[in-house]
Amino acid sequence: ENIILLSLPKGEDILRVDFETKLAEPLREALKSKKDKIKVLLTVYGVPLRVGGKVLNAEDKAKADDIKKQLDSSRKELAVAEKDKTEKDKLDGFKKKVAELNDQHRISIALESLACVDSELMCLWWPPYELSRWQPNPLYWKAPKELNNRFPNTLMTCRLDGPTADIAKRLVDDAVEVEVKGLKGKVYFDARGIGLNPKNPGDTTGYGGYDESFREAAALLKSAGMDVTLDDKGALFEPDSCKDAALYSGWYSHATFIDCCKYVKGAVAWHLASSEAITLRNPASKVWCPNLLQKGVAATLGPVAEPYTIAFPKPAEFFGFLATGKYTLVETYSRTTYLTSWMTVLVGDPLYNPYKNTPMVKESLIEPSPKSKSEK
């Protein structure tokens, strides 16, 4: 009674129009009587991974062209004002107008409207929203309450997938088996030694913020008594150097999998880099997600196209909530990802809770990451 059959393209990509007519609309129709009860959508092996960008119609193109003309004109006005050394207030006004028109133009041409199918499905019940770039995730644990009023009924999504159908099935089998006794093994975090600049707010979701979060994740799990190894240097873990890995996360080996860990059954592992889930089903690919699945991990995540760092959960938050034993895999991810209608896919049994019977971290110890230097 929880299975919905759909007629979909066989590959990992689906056109935007087919996503709407063959996937999203049939789902809404099938689930409309259960709208308030459904919390999770689980896509499986065979469902496309990535939805293409929005295709502009004639009306869209005319609107975009009009905005582009306004943008070009405003840029010329700004250039003249800068050349003439116009007073600061007027100059700031020109800059603000250019920035606003630039944003309007990006939206009008649906720039970066390609996305992960699962991330778009989080927004299945939303009223129409802009497809250019991303939308905020109302399920994020620190999201303002007004986001839920603006975007009601946000769904959690997860995927059973991999290079083979047997691997996709194994994800459930391993989760069920390991959950009984709890996930046992070592923890490995591979930071890069990049400092955080607390005076720059943008750095919290940039390189400095994420590298700091790897260090915070290591400190949090180590304080809980877990066996943690932190590499805080630029070089990555060497191949075959991390034994009995239960949890792994690191960066940045772009589209080049490094077989650094030997994973225990039930392991949760992901690598922060730009292309690591551009495919899940190509066994010959060098990207991380399909290789991690072939190496036996039970859960992973990654982007289907260029995501920017903000598309990833903060390691300290993701692994912190997972280790509390209070949240399933899909709840952990949904609580710690910032964005919807964007690039990241979660792969694994959504109900997997590796520390359900062996909780390690007290939830009260988890803080938004990274903490500022003044808070340490």
Side-chain angles (χ1 to χ4, degrees):
E1 67 273 18
N2 288 346
I3 296 174
I4 298 173
L5 300 179
L6 300 167
S7 178
L8 298 168
K10 292 182 177 180
E12 291 185 275
D13 288 276
I14 186 170
L15 297 173
R16 176 66 62 170
V17 64
D18 289 339
F19 170 81
E20 289 296 336
T21 59
K22 297 180 179 181
L23 208 171
E25 289 178 8
L27 271 181
R28 292 187 191 103
E29 181 63 25
L31 298 175
K32 63 182 180 181
S33 65
K34 304 178 181 179
K35 181 177 179 180
D36 295 330
K37 296 180 180 179
I38 301 298
K39 294 182 179 180
V40 179
L41 292 180
L42 176 65
T43 54
V44 298
Y45 185 88
V47 176
L49 175 67
R50 183 174 32 249
V51 55
K54 177 182 177 181
V55 178
L56 303 184
N57 59 29
E59 184 180 347
D60 293 330
K61 290 178 181 177
K63 181 179 178 180
D65 288 344
D66 182 61
I67 295 174
K68 181 65 164 59
K69 290 177 182 178
Q70 295 179 54
L71 175 60
D72 290 343
S73 177
S74 293
R75 283 173 170 165
K76 289 178 182 178
E77 290 178 344
L78 174 60
V80 171
E82 289 178 329
K83 184 178 179 180
D84 293 345
K85 298 181 179 180
T86 302
E87 59 186 73
K88 185 178 183 304
D89 287 348
K90 289 185 178 180
L91 192 62
D92 288 345
F94 284 123
K95 290 179 179 178
K96 182 179 179 181
K97 185 177 180 181
V98 168
E100 290 173 348
L101 285 169
N102 194 55
D103 284 342
Q104 290 176 28
H105 184 251
R106 173 179 56 80
I107 291 171
S108 72
I109 62 173
L111 186 67
E112 296 178 298
S113 56
L114 179 147
C116 171
V117 164
D118 299 33
S119 190
E120 290 288 18
L121 289 177
M122 293 179 73
C123 315
L124 186 71
W125 299 121
W126 288 14
Y129 54 92
E130 295 294 346
L131 295 176
S132 177
R133 286 199 168 179
W134 54 73
Q135 294 293 332
N137 172 25
L139 301 179
Y140 179 66
W141 70 296
K142 288 296 184 179
K145 291 182 179 180
E146 53 266 26
L147 263 185
N148 273 313
N149 297 327
R150 182 181 167 199
F151 299 113
N153 298 316
T154 304
L155 294 167
M156 294 181 279
T157 60
C158 192
R159 176 174 288 254
L160 296 174
D161 213 330
T164 67
D166 285 340
I167 287 176
K169 294 176 181 178
R170 174 188 59 77
L171 303 179
V172 178
D173 294 335
D174 287 358
V176 171
E177 179 183 339
V178 170
E179 193 175 290
V180 175
K181 293 184 179 180
L183 180 59
K184 308 293 183 183
K186 299 178 181 180
V187 180
Y188 296 91
F189 290 115
D190 202 347
R192 299 167 60 188
I194 301 172
L196 170 68
N197 179 5
K199 295 182 179 179
N200 177 11
D203 204 31
T204 60
T205 53
Y207 284 10
Y210 275 83
D211 210 52
E212 183 71 6
S213 191
F214 279 115
R215 291 185 284 272
E216 290 178 354
L220 176 64
L221 269 56
K222 188 172 184 178
S223 70
M226 302 177 77
D227 187 340
V228 179
T229 297
L230 169 66
D231 181 343
D232 198 21
K233 299 178 181 178
L236 277 73
F237 287 125
E238 294 290 332
D240 199 27
S241 63
C242 305
K243 307 296 184 181
D244 302 317
L247 303 177
Y248 161 83
S249 192
W251 66 332
Y252 183 86
S253 181
H254 177 235
T256 306
F257 173 69
I258 296 177
D259 192 10
C260 56
C261 296
K262 297 302 178 186
Y263 294 100
V264 301
K265 183 176 288 189
V268 178
W270 51 271
H271 190 81
L272 197 163
S274 294
S275 303
E276 308 321 314
I278 58 171
T279 178
L280 293 176
R281 298 180 202 148
N282 180 0
S285 174
K286 294 183 178 180
V287 301
W288 279 76
C289 284
N291 279 283
L292 287 169
L293 294 168
Q294 289 182 109
K295 293 297 178 179
V297 305
T300 189
L301 60 87
V304 304
E306 173 56 56
Y308 309 110
T309 51
I310 195 174
F312 291 86
K314 289 291 177 53
E317 297 178 19
F318 179 89
F319 290 101
F321 281 118
L322 188 70
T324 65
K326 293 181 64 175
Y327 301 99
T328 64
L329 177 69
V330 73
E331 288 172 322
T332 295
Y333 174 75
S334 300
R335 288 175 65 81
T336 57
T337 188
Y338 290 113
L339 308 174
T340 62
S341 184
W342 195 229
M343 299 300 185
T344 310
V345 61
L346 173 68
V347 184
D349 180 343
L351 301 182
Y352 184 32
N353 187 342
Y355 297 101
K356 180 179 180 180
N357 296 315
T358 56
M360 300 300 298
V361 173
K362 292 182 179 179
E363 187 173 3
S364 60
L365 296 178
I366 301 172
E367 300 179 60
S369 180
K371 296 175 283 186
S372 71
K373 295 294 184 181
S374 62
E375 292 173 329
K376 291 189 174 182

